[in-house]
Amino acid sequence: ISFNTAESALSSLKNCQSFINSGMDMATQVALDLVESFNDEEDVKKMENVMLEYAKMDRELNHHIKAFEETINQVKREKPENLPDLEMLAQEKFLELESRNSESDLQRNEKYIYFQDQLKEMKKQYRGNDTIELIDEDIAVTRSQMNFICPITQMKMKKPVRNKVCGHSYEEEAILEIIQTQKQKKKKVRCPKMGCSHVDVQGSDLVPDEALKRMIDSQNKQ
């Protein structure tokens, strides 16, 4: 195949990533819906298996993309007199990458980690645990409501984001404004949550806290 065909195939592969991402986002939403509506744990487990299948597809797709990119770059760099079989070279690189696969790769998929994190938060809220049963109900409710308050604005959050590094949540607009302001001053941002030792909050560390948003929305409806 020619360079143009190879680069066109590469572009198509990258487009496929958006479909996998959408599928993983949808599976996460369905799993959170199941926990919220107190569905059987087995149904939630099925969604976890769906996420692992998506993670496997994502890994395979990334290997295809990497194999094509490395092949194209290698041939352009070496400039051989006769153009080699790009498809065969890319396939060899792909099989080499696939040979290093392990199950732990899937557990490290970013969207799978997010799925597990959000699921854990939803289960904590909707199914409770043994320690919560020992706490007075009014105290438990007060503690839960305190988690709805943004440590920056001191108001109930509308669009919470969670920091992947320290686990704390903030109002999205408020934390991004602080990050931007401090960036202009070339200063790091300490996590605004009192007592947190994390001193370098990055915008790339923030993910939507869907579980917390659902809890806040649920309370607002009551």
Side-chain angles (χ1 to χ4, degrees), residues 169-184:
S169 296
Y170 336 96
E171 182 65 55
E172 183 181 42
E173 191 177 337
I175 187 65
L176 289 178
E177 188 178 328
I178 289 177
I179 291 171
Q180 184 60 32
T181 302
Q182 293 298 87
K183 187 179 179 182
Q184 288 170 353

Side-chain angles (χ1 to χ4, degrees), residues 73-89:
N73 291 335
Q74 180 187 331
V75 174
K76 281 184 175 178
R77 191 171 58 249
E78 293 174 357
K79 297 175 183 175
E81 199 170 312
N82 297 312
L83 190 66
D85 188 331
L86 298 178
E87 191 174 2
M88 188 183 74
L89 285 176

Side-chain angles (χ1 to χ4, degrees), residues 13 31 37 78 90 105 110 121 126 132 160 201 214 221-222:
L13 287 171
S37 54
E78 293 174 357
D105 295 341
E110 196 170 326
E121 289 303 312
Y126 285 94
I132 287 176
V201 180
R214 283 167 179 252
K221 287 174 187 173
Q222 289 174 8

Side-chain angles (χ1 to χ4, degrees), residues 34-176:
L34 290 170
V35 175
E36 197 171 358
S37 54
F38 298 94
N39 275 60
D40 190 82
E41 181 63 31
E42 196 176 320
D43 292 330
V44 179
K45 186 70 181 171
K46 284 177 186 174
M47 294 317 299
E48 184 176 348
N49 291 333
V50 167
M51 285 296 287
L52 286 170
E53 283 302 313
Y54 270 122
K56 196 179 288 185
M57 282 191 279
D58 188 54
R59 179 180 64 188
E60 186 176 328
L61 184 61
N62 282 325
H63 284 169
H64 273 298
I65 290 170
K66 190 174 181 182
F68 262 105
E69 284 179 336
E70 286 184 359
T71 299
I72 291 168
N73 291 335
Q74 180 187 331
V75 174
K76 281 184 175 178
R77 191 171 58 249
E78 293 174 357
K79 297 175 183 175
E81 199 170 312
N82 297 312
L83 190 66
D85 188 331
L86 298 178
E87 191 174 2
M88 188 183 74
L89 285 176
Q91 182 65 10
E92 285 173 2
K93 287 183 184 293
F94 169 74
L95 292 174
E96 184 190 339
L97 290 167
E98 285 284 292
S99 69
R100 302 177 204 156
N101 286 350
S102 71
E103 285 305 306
S104 60
D105 295 341
L106 307 182
Q107 312 287 335
R108 289 194 297 268
N109 179 282
E110 196 170 326
K111 283 194 176 284
Y112 179 75
I113 292 170
Y114 175 73
F115 169 86
Q116 291 287 12
D117 174 63
Q118 293 292 291
L119 208 55
K120 179 180 160 191
E121 289 303 312
M122 284 292 281
K123 286 179 180 179
K124 199 189 295 180
Q125 177 69 16
Y126 285 94
R127 295 184 179 172
N129 53 44
D130 297 337
T131 55
I132 287 176
E133 289 173 12
L134 301 174
I135 302 172
D136 178 85
E137 190 176 339
D138 290 337
I139 296 174
V141 170
T142 304
R143 283 186 185 177
S144 177
Q145 289 175 349
M146 279 171 64
N147 292 331
F148 298 167
I149 304 298
C150 171
I152 304 166
T153 64
Q154 294 303 310
M155 295 170 67
K156 189 186 285 186
M157 289 179 269
K158 294 177 181 175
K159 198 174 178 184
V161 288
R162 175 187 288 272
N163 189 324
K164 293 186 290 184
V165 179
C166 62
H168 293 127
S169 296
Y170 336 96
E171 182 65 55
E172 183 181 42
E173 191 177 337
I175 187 65
L176 289 178

